Amino acid sequence: MTVPITVFDVVNMSVCEINFTYDPTVVRMTDVTRGDMRYSFKFNVNNGSGWMRANALDVDGLSGNVTFAYVTLTAVGNKSDVSEMEFADSRLLDVSFKEIVHIRRNGTFIIWENVPPEVINVSATPIAILYDNNRPRTPGTNISLLSAYVTDADGDITAVTINLSSIGGSPAQPMEHVSGDLWEVTTNATEVAAAINAPDFTHQLTITATDNDGGINDSVSIELTVLKRGDVNGDGLVDGNDSKYISRYLAGLEPEASNPPGVLVGDVIGDAGDPVGNGVVDLMDALYIAKYTSGMVEEP
Ligand SMILES: [Ca+2]
Ligand SMILES: [Ca+2]
Ligand SMILES: [Ca+2]
């Protein structure tokens, strides 16, 4: 944590010199940077003994609340450890070399543990969709509502994102806070190079939840199955075997007869060539796939 050391309500301060101690078994000073004083700023840190001393000059003098320095503190002890942050000494002078009378307010550094966010009850609705390729589909078959309940036992959730890169989306797609603990986003899916023809169509979409103390949970994924329209036999390709599958099924041949083609992937065309389909897998669909295989129509 980076915090300022500030001189409050001062008039024409030109010199500020401090000597500062802390418990080095609890906290280390890992960075010190200059504040408002413009002429010079020098510091020395000894994390072995637990002290920092610094001085700064400003030839014109500064008034009001003047930040002397910013110190970055890193916890090195255990949970609940405490270190006093104590001014051992301090000296302030104004532009006329007069002492500025002041009081010192010491600080306290406490190490506490942040409970990371918890991600529960994740779902995809529906759990299986079709890849988009710009050809019309039955409404709802190319989008899925991804949702998750995210809680933080000791703080607030500040952001929830989901990695959609395996289905052509952003690696950190923000999920919207709906209400209470519920976060959602609706997505479609487009094929990416690595996923084409993959035998496994189930994608693990990893959620990253962040809380107000920077705690992260990225251990939970939403499972979404994405299928290729026309791939009736489920081998990742749309080819003559899919057309044949429908033909054999319609003829009552086994094993296809006992494993009817799914409407989601198999219904690729409807009446009068309607690209949306008609909810039925029949020889019209087999013909469309056959024509696609022959390069005569676009990808289903
Ligand atoms: Ca927390
Ligand atoms: Ca196939
Ligand atoms: Ca059809």
Coordinates of all heavy atoms in Angstrom, one line a residue, residues 266-270 277-282 284-285, ligand 3:
G266 N -29.1 -30.5 -37.2 CA -29.5 -31.2 -38.5 C -30.5 -30.4 -39.3 O -30.6 -30.5 -40.5
D267 N -31.3 -29.5 -38.6 CA -32.3 -28.7 -39.4 C -31.6 -27.5 -40.0 O -31.5 -26.4 -39.4 CB -33.4 -28.3 -38.4 CG -34.4 -27.4 -39.1 OD1 -34.5 -27.5 -40.3 OD2 -35.1 -26.6 -38.4
V268 N -31.1 -27.6 -41.2 CA -30.3 -26.6 -41.8 C -31.1 -25.8 -42.8 O -30.6 -24.7 -43.3 CB -29.0 -27.1 -42.5 CG1 -28.1 -27.8 -41.4 CG2 -29.3 -28.1 -43.6
I269 N -32.2 -26.2 -43.2 CA -33.1 -25.5 -44.2 C -34.5 -25.9 -43.9 O -34.9 -26.9 -43.5 CB -32.6 -25.8 -45.6 CG1 -33.2 -24.8 -46.6 CG2 -33.0 -27.3 -46.0 CD1 -32.4 -24.7 -47.9
G270 N -35.4 -24.9 -44.3 CA -36.8 -25.1 -44.1 C -37.6 -25.0 -45.5 O -36.9 -25.0 -46.5
G277 N -34.7 -22.7 -41.2 CA -35.0 -24.1 -40.9 C -36.5 -24.2 -40.6 O -37.2 -23.2 -40.6
N278 N -37.0 -25.4 -40.3 CA -38.4 -25.6 -40.1 C -38.7 -26.6 -38.9 O -39.7 -27.1 -38.7 CB -39.1 -26.1 -41.3 CG -38.5 -27.4 -41.8 OD1 -37.5 -27.9 -41.3 ND2 -39.1 -28.0 -42.8
G279 N -37.6 -26.8 -38.1 CA -37.8 -27.6 -36.9 C -37.8 -29.1 -37.2 O -38.1 -29.9 -36.3
V280 N -37.6 -29.5 -38.5 CA -37.6 -30.9 -38.9 C -36.3 -31.2 -39.6 O -35.8 -30.4 -40.4 CB -38.8 -31.1 -39.8 CG1 -38.8 -32.6 -40.4 CG2 -40.1 -30.8 -39.1
V281 N -35.8 -32.4 -39.4 CA -34.7 -32.9 -40.1 C -35.2 -33.9 -41.1 O -35.6 -35.0 -40.8 CB -33.6 -33.5 -39.2 CG1 -32.4 -34.0 -40.0 CG2 -33.2 -32.6 -38.1
D282 N -35.1 -33.5 -42.4 CA -35.6 -34.5 -43.4 C -34.6 -34.4 -44.7 O -33.5 -33.8 -44.6 CB -37.0 -34.2 -43.8 CG -37.2 -32.8 -44.4 OD1 -36.2 -32.2 -44.8 OD2 -38.4 -32.3 -44.4
M284 N -34.7 -32.7 -47.2 CA -34.4 -31.3 -47.7 C -33.1 -30.9 -47.0 O -32.2 -30.3 -47.7 CB -35.5 -30.4 -47.2 CG -35.7 -29.1 -48.0 SD -37.4 -28.5 -48.0 CE -37.8 -28.5 -46.3
D285 N -32.9 -31.2 -45.7 CA -31.7 -30.9 -45.0 C -30.5 -31.7 -45.6 O -29.4 -31.1 -45.7 CB -31.8 -31.1 -43.5 CG -33.0 -30.3 -43.0 OD1 -32.9 -29.1 -43.0 OD2 -34.0 -30.9 -42.6
Ligands
CA3 CA -35.3 -28.8 -42.1

